[in-house]
Amino acid sequence: MKRIQLGPFNRVEGDLEVSLDVEAGQVVSAQVNSPLFRGFEQILIGRAPEDALAIVPRICGICSVAQSAAAAAALADIAGVTPPPNGLLAQRLIQSTENLADHLTHFYLFFMPDFARSAYAGRHWHGDVAARFMAVKGKAAEPVLQARAHFFNLIGVLAGRWPHTLALQAGGTTKAMTPAERIRVLALLREFRAFLETVLIGDTLESFASLNTEQALLAWAEGRNADFPMFLRAAGDLALEKAGRATDCFLSYGAYGLFESGLWQPNAAVDTLKSAEITEDPRHAWLAESSPLPPAVGETILDAEKSGAYTWCKAPRYAGQVVETGALARQVVAGNHLLRDLVGRHGGSVTARVVARMIELASVLPAMEQWVRDIVPGEAFCYPATLPESGEGVGLVEAARGSLGHWLSIKRGRIDRYQIIAPTTWNFSPRDREGQPGPLEQALVGLPAGDGALPIVQHVVRSFDPCMVCTVH
Amino acid sequence: MKVLWLQSAGCGGCTQSMLCSAPRSLFDELSDAGIEFLWHPALSLESGEEALAVLEGCAEGRLAFDVLCVEGAMLRGPNGSGKFHLMAGNGRPLTEWVERLSRQAKWVFAIGSCTAYGGLSASTPGNPLEACGLQYDTDTPGGLLGAGFRSSGGLPVVNIAGCPTHPGWIVDTLEKLALEGLSAADLDEVGRPLLYADQLVHHGCARNEYYEFKASAEKHSDLGCLMENLGCKGTQAHADCNLRPWNGSGSCLRGGFACIACTEPGFESPGHAFQQTPKLAGIPIGLPTDMPKAWFVALAALSKSATPKRVRDNAVVDHTVIRPAVKKAGK
Ligand code: SF4
């Protein structure tokens, strides 16, 4: 048996190392290490509760708004305030802009360049894919950076800037949209739609979003000239619909009032989300040993010399189970037919995770157009939120990469405890005390690795769109 | 000009922000100015061993590069070991990599306030991470590389401070260096390029009329000036945020929330709640840096008494309730 260490595992957000035990050209066991510790949960302690809104976005430069939204939700929970309808719509618009832009960044900048690798030279799709997606130099870079930058102008209008806005507050948002801005925002949405339809998907968003089986998807993609169908051709050739299966237990906190929350498992009805079932196990992290604790009473105490530890990441579990989160989980829980069909046939996979992001781009953008129209000019965007001296709150939101939770308690007007479980904390968790490997650790087993192996491991790792700065925070 | 990029204890947001560069897309903008990334963790193909080979080549001086951009604070802990951030796949502390590469780089750029001054990573009470900036601990020279450090191009670390940095601050500084050169006279007292740090955030703020009359916002989403109640530090923070818009047309103030002075050393621990203005006897403590307090108080009293009703009423609501009057032609 041979141990291979992959790192720096780049084109992910933040730092990642993956260790593989390889036998006869196949991965028999994997360990995922998040090698950077910054300690945001300690930074927050002792601060004024509203300071969380300035601090938590800085956990992550790619899902900064999602972090804000979770903190705002936790503070709203404590204050007992619900933002006015305009404030909720604006929050959703800001959040979904980030989430959709992240899907785009992931596909073009992080994920697709691996298909341009010389290991695939000679495959029937390789020439086209390399010309389009080669890192930095590929032809797609210019239009996608342009489309991404313009789409983020929506956050420029509604939240001042991206990343790291303070516009999301417990009571709504700090910026009321003017009638002139409403016109501008609708124009930005049209521009982004045009990019998605002509460059990425090659069809109207509505007709793509209505595909409901794998067979229909493959027939639809046949001969279609756009970037996502190009991926499907490569993925089909490499059988990526069968690569990277994790546990097939999917968790979602529910998003934008569009996608339901819950836990999905094969052959069972969607289970209602019970946040009390969530615990974190520090066994294999360089953190002080304790039994698995619910985040509301969780601790983050350093133990850099702990034996048996191999990461800074705790192992979150749902009712003791290893679960996957992300766009695929969100869509499977929400009952999307195409993704349920893909998962039903092959389990979770590289292909299914990518398809889920495309489905979200196609189904959330039309909802955003509607939310802008639903905003009533002149009505409130923010209600005052008064925080008690003591209290506890939870903020559960969906970031691009999946379920993000903040558990906050305040005492004597200061933050007393702050625990965060980010999407990649779930997906890239280490083993727990029962020895159950995390989702990625499971997804890597059985893949080809070692000298001369195709870079399938690269696709599987990046198919989760990991965000390592969030993972440990 | 070849740029080598490393990330450490930051959020990656400065890279994400840089990718929003406009009006041209980032890669075209840079390549036309002769600037290319030799390796960037978020963008380059090379992963694992291939990436380490590039970094090792640069650190040993075999592979030429010009600018080392570092994004994220330097973590020296625990106990000086650097273990809070070891290079993946290699196991050596990032601090060691940065020291080795800084010796080979012609110029070293600190991208973002945490890289420049320590930032949020250095703000846990007692600093257990032993975090610092490349050449500063907050505003004290030192940091990882030491006060005396000069890269082979003859400059101290160039601090492109901001949390995050505006894409234009990075791109323009790189282009200035590539096309015209950069000298010590182009940097301010804490190493920031004057091309954006010779302004205050207050300059060009859309709320300037409210400021003039001390017509202040009282709660989130109000249109008034955010200085008196909601923590705005725009009159003290060095940056051109309201002259060089963010994401098309934005800025913190345009977004309705306070400037928290994220380009300044120590912004992360202001000693008061970010969104509240600390006051002494009803007067904000953090007054404009170059204005005597007595003048400010006198002017504020005068201007408050002269505030037009339009400005006073609009300041405390989230949309204009009184429009500016229209004069008849020739009157
Ligand atoms: S809100 Fe801040 S930056 Fe704008 S005018 Fe007031 S003090 Fe100046």
Side-chain angles (χ1 to χ4, degrees):
Chain A
M1 192 162 63
K2 188 172 145 205
R3 171 156 287 209
I4 307 178
Q5 273 202 340
L6 302 176
F9 212 110
N10 73 325
R11 271 178 291 109
V12 300
E13 183 61 42
D15 284 76
L16 169 66
E17 180 176 271
V18 178
S19 304
L20 304 174
D21 289 338
V22 179
E23 220 169 73
Q26 276 202 336
V27 177
V28 292
S29 162
Q31 282 191 348
V32 182
N33 173 13
S34 310
L36 169 66
F37 179 85
R38 287 177 302 152
F40 270 79
E41 291 160 337
Q42 282 90 339
I43 293 171
L44 286 153
I45 291 171
R47 297 278 194 147
E50 294 92 339
D51 275 6
L53 297 170
I55 295 172
V56 301
R58 292 170 166 87
I59 290 172
C60 179
I62 198 164
C63 39
S64 163
V65 164
Q67 296 286 354
S68 295
L75 290 167
D77 187 23
I78 298 182
V81 63
T82 307
N86 278 354
L88 282 174
L89 291 166
Q91 284 186 345
R92 266 184 205 167
L93 281 164
I94 299 164
Q95 242 183 298
S96 51
T97 303
E98 176 178 271
N99 285 358
L100 297 192
D102 280 6
H103 286 349
L104 203 69
T105 308
H106 172 261
F107 182 77
Y108 281 99
L109 300 183
F110 295 167
F111 179 73
M112 286 307 292
D114 286 311
F115 293 87
R117 286 179 180 275
S118 56
Y120 293 129
R123 300 263 169 173
H124 64 85
W125 44 265
H126 182 259
D128 292 347
V129 166
R132 193 103 188 111
F133 295 105
M134 201 194 311
V136 182
K137 298 197 169 67
K139 289 227 163 25
E142 198 274 332
V144 75
L145 285 177
Q146 204 62 269
R148 178 184 178 277
H150 286 190
F151 189 46
F152 270 128
N153 289 351
L154 203 154
I155 292 192
V157 173
L158 288 182
R161 70 170 183 183
W162 184 90
H164 305 348
T165 170
L166 249 170
L168 281 80
Q169 299 281 333
T173 62
T174 55
K175 173 76 179 86
M177 190 195 271
T178 67
E181 288 162 347
R182 196 152 169 262
I183 299 298
R184 197 57 4 236
V185 164
L186 286 168
L188 290 169
L189 290 172
R190 278 198 304 277
E191 184 183 351
F192 194 57
R193 176 188 271 271
F195 172 85
L196 296 178
E197 293 187 339
T198 54
V199 181
L200 179 61
I201 290 172
D203 198 353
T204 65
L205 300 185
E206 285 75 5
S207 105
F208 168 64
S210 69
L211 296 171
N212 54 9
T213 62
E214 181 185 30
Q215 209 188 357
L217 174 74
L218 297 179
W220 169 90
E222 193 63 42
R224 196 172 288 272
N225 184 20
D227 290 335
F228 168 60
M230 199 187 279
F231 157 76
L232 286 176
R233 284 193 275 286
D237 181 40
L238 298 171
L240 295 182
E241 73 283 0
K242 297 190 185 75
R245 184 176 198 160
T247 59
D248 289 351
C249 286
F250 295 111
L251 172 73
S252 168
Y253 294 158
Y256 329 118
L258 279 183
F259 306 128
E260 290 291 318
S261 64
L263 185 83
W264 185 93
Q265 290 171 278
N267 311 317
V270 175
D271 203 5
T272 330
L273 178 73
K274 301 180 202 76
S275 60
E277 297 285 5
I278 297 169
T279 55
E280 280 197 296
D281 181 349
R283 173 58 63 89
H284 293 284
W286 291 297
L287 298 171
E289 190 49 25
S290 77
S291 56
L293 292 173
V297 294
E299 301 272 6
T300 304
I301 302 168
L302 296 170
D303 181 359
E305 302 302 324
K306 184 167 153 187
S307 75
Y310 61 88
T311 178
W312 291 105
C313 180
K314 296 181 201 167
R317 295 292 182 260
Y318 186 92
Q321 277 176 287
V322 180
V323 303
E324 175 176 341
T325 183
L328 175 60
R330 215 158 32 230
Q331 294 309 317
V332 167
V333 169
N336 177 276
H337 295 296
L338 172 57
L339 292 153
R340 287 247 181 120
D341 186 58
L342 274 166
V343 167
R345 286 171 197 279
H346 315 287
S349 68
V350 172
T351 302
R353 293 184 191 106
V354 176
V355 171
R357 290 190 190 94
M358 299 301 134
I359 286 290
E360 290 206 334
L361 281 160
S363 54
V364 176
L365 196 78
M368 291 176 74
E369 294 162 345
Q370 187 55 47
W371 298 334
V372 178
R373 290 190 204 99
D374 290 344
I375 284 179
V376 184
E379 295 199 354
F381 280 73
C382 198
Y383 287 149
T386 318
L387 289 164
E389 281 289 288
S390 297
E392 290 184 4
V394 184
L396 303 179
V397 303
E398 284 285 313
R401 298 162 186 76
S403 307
L404 168 65
H406 285 200
W407 285 261
L408 158 64
S409 64
I410 53 183
K411 265 193 196 143
R412 287 182 288 280
R414 300 266 138 189
I415 294 174
D416 183 55
R417 186 191 303 274
Y418 209 114
Q419 289 283 308
I420 298 160
I421 305 181
T424 311
T425 323
W426 289 101
N427 289 338
F428 282 24
S429 91
R431 284 156 175 72
D432 55 31
R433 65 195 49 236
E434 311 298 333
Q436 297 185 91
L440 175 66
E441 293 180 334
Q442 298 190 25
L444 291 170
V445 171
L447 296 179
D451 297 335
L454 290 177
I456 306 292
V457 165
Q458 303 279 329
H459 307 314
V460 170
V461 171
R462 294 196 181 88
S463 74
F464 286 89
D465 189 10
C467 176
M468 306 311 297
V469 288
C470 277
T471 303
V472 176
H473 38 268
Chain B
M1 194 169 79
K2 287 194 166 65
V3 176
L4 177 67
W5 198 289
L6 286 183
Q7 290 177 329
S8 189
C11 69
C14 289
T15 287
Q16 290 301 319
S17 175
M18 177 174 72
L19 290 168
C20 294
S21 188
R24 294 189 75 191
S25 76
L26 178 74
F27 301 153
D28 289 355
E29 169 77 38
L30 291 180
S31 70
D32 275 2
I35 300 165
E36 59 173 312
F37 292 114
L38 181 63
W39 189 74
H40 187 301
L43 306 172
S44 297
L45 177 70
E46 297 87 352
S47 191
E49 281 175 13
E50 310 150 335
L52 288 173
V54 174
L55 296 175
E56 196 54 55
C58 289
E60 286 173 3
R62 281 184 284 111
L63 205 55
F65 68 106
D66 300 286
V67 186
L68 174 67
C69 286
V70 182
E71 181 182 359
M74 297 291 97
L75 304 186
R76 293 166 297 185
N79 304 317
S81 68
K83 189 182 171 182
F84 286 130
H85 189 194
L86 303 179
M87 174 71 85
N90 159 270
R92 301 302 307 164
L94 249 286
T95 47
E96 183 183 294
W97 277 103
V98 169
E99 282 175 317
R100 290 176 67 203
L101 288 163
S102 295
R103 286 197 284 274
Q104 303 294 341
K106 292 202 188 85
W107 296 279
V108 180
F109 284 14
I111 306 293
S113 295
C114 53
T115 328
Y117 310 121
L120 268 171
S121 293
S123 71
T124 308
N127 195 8
L129 304 182
E130 299 162 49
C132 63
L134 284 185
Q135 206 173 5
Y136 280 87
D137 283 286
T138 311
D139 53 2
T140 309
L144 180 76
L145 299 175
F149 172 82
R150 297 291 178 272
S151 61
S152 66
L155 281 185
V157 174
V158 176
N159 287 329
I160 307 186
C163 188
T165 42
H166 188 293
W169 302 342
I170 305 177
V171 168
D172 286 5
T173 309
L174 283 171
E175 290 187 7
K176 169 88 171 66
L177 174 60
L179 304 174
E180 297 176 354
L182 204 61
S183 77
D186 296 316
L187 307 178
D188 77 356
E189 293 83 337
V190 283
R192 295 175 297 202
L194 288 167
L195 61 86
Y196 76 93
D198 65 351
Q199 300 285 331
L200 293 171
V201 171
H202 181 61
H203 299 164
C205 176
R207 295 169 194 251
N208 278 172
E209 190 187 36
Y210 295 103
Y211 176 89
E212 283 167 31
F213 290 107
K214 294 287 153 299
S216 299
E218 289 169 358
K219 55 189 187 306
H220 295 309
S221 85
D222 282 355
L223 295 179
C225 171
L226 301 167
M227 180 203 179
E228 192 177 345
N229 301 313
L230 293 172
C232 183
K233 294 197 166 144
T235 56
Q236 303 150 61
H238 294 77
D240 55 6
C241 298
N242 279 306
L243 297 168
R244 184 197 294 264
W246 287 75
N247 304 105
S249 60
S251 76
C252 295
L253 299 308
R254 284 169 181 269
F257 52 92
C259 164
I260 61 169
C262 73
T263 54
E264 299 296 316
F267 88 92
E268 64 282 350
S269 301
H272 59 82
F274 282 112
Q275 301 183 79
Q276 264 173 33
T277 306
K279 292 179 196 171
L280 209 59
I283 300 162
I285 293 174
L287 294 178
T289 31
D290 36 20
M291 188 172 195
K293 188 171 162 186
W295 292 16
F296 181 86
V297 174
L299 267 176
L302 187 66
S303 54
K304 274 205 179 190
S305 65
T307 310
K309 180 171 165 48
R310 168 179 61 82
V311 175
R312 189 166 52 233
D313 288 5
N314 287 342
V316 291
V317 289
D318 70 1
H319 60 285
T320 307
V321 286
I322 304 182
R323 280 186 289 120
V326 178
K327 279 217 166 125
K328 284 248 188 283
K331 297 269 160 89

